[in-house]
Amino acid sequence: HIQDPASQRLTWNKPPKSVLVIKKIRDASLLQPFKELCVYLTEENNMIVYVEKKVLEDPAIANDENFGPVKKKFCTFREDYDDISNQIDFIICLGGDGTLLYASSLFQGSVPPVMAFHLGSLGFLTPFNFENFQSQVTQVIEGNAALVLRSRLKVKVVKEHREKTPVQNGIEENGVVSANLEKEVGKQIMQYQVLNEVVVDRGPSSYLSNVDVFLNGHLITTVQGDGVIVSTPTGSTAYAAAAGASMIHPNVPAIMITPICPHSLSFRPIVVPAGVELKIMLSPDARNTAWVSFDGRKRQEICHGDSISITTSCYPLPSICFRDPVSDWFESLAECLHWNVRKKQNNFAVEEEE
């Protein structure tokens, strides 16, 4: 039996009580939708609303007297300082695809269902329009919606211990929660959950990137070029697509390996099974270091002796669909990327028989 990709549905064991609202920062056009949504959640549905503290520091919100009574009901948090992972029933994102990536980064373990409204520039991962948000949010609260489980990558970075990173309030300087760090003899280990891609590149160096890629412990290739992208199916329509890779539906269990400007005519992007373990290290004869980023964040340098291990995470991101996983995905391809848009070929004119 092959599972129908549209068969997964959102159901609640008990009605949801708390919701995390994520709003794109520094976007004045989102202030009114944000206020309308929060008023609806608190007054109409009597829900506990969590909002990031820096969102409420926006002068347009802080100085709005009419919004004051609603704002007092909010629970606030700060990224990298407060752990809210066990207090949220579901998430609502207002913005573009970046808000969904940001929501993913806040949850290094299990992720609540995410409802994403298209209020940004691209909107490939945000299927909901805000015009009828009341009925759509009510439908999610009632538990009648399709889901797509977007796989994430579990990434472990092992660095040779060179100098101690300052720790303040339990947070490392690069923003990684110190609980996610383990210390071995002469080594530093950091872990990340990645929704789109891990990118290894040559950074500011003028030399080619020169990194070895291992699959389940076996060396499969050496990347010589600008770098390499390791992405999820969700990330296949992001940086990987721009680098020439195929686009994969998020329900396909896979990991993509895509070179960035390889200095080889035969280095094509490949797809490997989701259950493998990839490891990326600098080649012994590499002239320069490499740099790595995770969904465009936490960018850091990789030196000789360091390693990046990548596996499929057991904590996917449940994304709430507007219709179903198949319809939403192809609509995004058409609307956002204009996939296979072409002027239609004319048919032959039918000649009348004499």
Side-chain angles (χ1 to χ4, degrees):
H1 176 68
I2 298 176
Q3 183 180 0
D4 177 10
S7 65
Q8 297 172 111
R9 308 291 297 185
L10 170 64
T11 57
W12 301 105
N13 292 327
K14 55 184 179 179
K17 293 295 183 183
S18 60
V19 56
L20 168 61
V21 178
I22 296 177
K23 173 189 152 313
K24 185 179 179 182
I25 304 296
R26 295 185 298 274
D27 191 336
S29 66
L30 298 184
L31 293 176
Q32 189 59 34
F34 172 74
K35 294 175 183 178
E36 292 178 12
L37 174 65
C38 291
V39 169
Y40 178 74
L41 291 170
T42 55
E43 297 184 357
E44 299 292 332
N45 293 279
N46 198 28
M47 298 196 73
I48 302 171
V49 177
Y50 284 78
V51 177
E52 192 170 10
K53 189 168 184 176
K54 63 184 179 183
V55 171
L56 299 183
E57 292 171 353
D58 189 314
I61 294 178
N63 300 329
D64 190 337
E65 296 180 357
N66 296 328
F67 195 56
V70 177
K71 190 171 61 174
K72 291 179 180 178
K73 300 178 182 179
F74 289 159
C75 293
T76 60
F77 72 97
R78 294 173 299 169
E79 182 190 9
D80 294 333
Y81 281 85
D82 302 315
D83 183 10
I84 58 170
S85 56
N86 295 322
Q87 302 170 27
I88 304 300
D89 292 329
F90 75 103
I91 304 169
I92 297 179
C93 293
L94 303 177
D97 294 344
T99 57
L100 190 69
L101 294 172
Y102 180 67
S104 172
S105 70
L106 293 175
F107 295 85
Q108 294 299 300
S110 179
V111 187
V114 182
M115 182 181 192
F117 284 94
H118 174 34
L119 292 166
S121 54
L122 183 61
F124 195 93
L125 306 178
T126 54
F128 289 92
N129 292 318
F130 196 76
E131 286 78 11
N132 302 315
F133 77 93
Q134 294 97 336
S135 61
Q136 294 169 342
V137 171
T138 299
Q139 186 177 1
V140 170
I141 293 175
E142 293 173 351
N144 182 25
L147 275 181
V148 57
L149 296 179
R150 298 185 178 275
S151 66
R152 299 197 294 174
L153 299 176
K154 177 183 176 181
V155 187
K156 183 171 71 172
V157 180
V158 180
K159 290 187 174 184
E160 297 290 338
H161 190 62
R162 295 174 183 88
E163 59 182 42
K164 186 174 179 60
T165 306
V167 179
Q168 296 179 350
N169 299 326
I171 304 298
E172 291 289 331
E173 192 175 51
N174 61 6
V176 182
V177 180
S178 58
N180 288 345
L181 290 175
E182 304 172 19
K183 290 290 193 300
E184 291 183 357
V185 178
K187 293 187 182 296
Q188 183 185 37
I189 301 177
M190 293 165 287
Q191 291 189 5
Y192 305 90
Q193 296 283 335
V194 176
L195 179 61
N196 259 0
E197 71 272 304
V198 180
V199 177
V200 180
D201 60 67
R202 60 190 176 94
S205 173
S206 59
Y207 294 113
L208 288 173
S209 171
N210 195 344
V211 296
D212 294 335
V213 180
F214 299 84
L215 191 149
N216 290 341
H218 301 284
L219 177 66
I220 57 171
T221 193
T222 297
V223 179
Q224 295 185 94
D226 279 356
V228 63
I229 306 167
V230 179
S231 60
T232 64
T234 295
S236 70
T237 50
Y239 194 0
S246 295
M247 294 179 289
I248 301 178
H249 190 277
N251 274 327
V252 177
I255 298 175
M256 295 188 64
I257 303 172
T258 306
I260 307 171
C261 298
H263 201 240
S264 167
L265 296 177
S266 59
F267 196 166
R268 302 295 296 274
I270 61 172
V271 180
V272 298
V276 304
E277 179 182 11
L278 295 172
K279 180 177 282 189
I280 300 176
M281 301 181 67
L282 273 180
S283 298
D285 54 352
R287 294 182 177 184
N288 58 295
T289 62
W291 289 75
V292 61
S293 61
F294 314 93
D295 284 341
R297 297 163 58 101
K298 313 294 185 186
R299 186 168 171 82
Q300 54 197 269
E301 191 174 15
I302 299 298
C303 304
H304 284 93
D306 300 343
S307 66
I308 305 165
S309 298
I310 303 170
T311 56
T312 297
S313 171
C314 59
Y315 300 111
L317 184 143
S319 181
I320 300 172
C321 301
F322 179 67
R323 290 189 179 87
D324 61 77
V326 174
S327 299
D328 284 11
W329 193 67
F330 278 98
E331 187 169 325
S332 293
L333 287 180
E335 291 293 325
C336 300
L337 300 183
H338 303 293
W339 179 63
N340 199 25
V341 174
R342 180 190 185 277
K343 186 177 180 180
K344 287 192 174 182
Q345 185 182 51
N346 293 329
N347 61 346
F348 288 119
V350 179
E351 296 182 1
E352 297 181 2
E353 295 182 1
E354 294 183 2

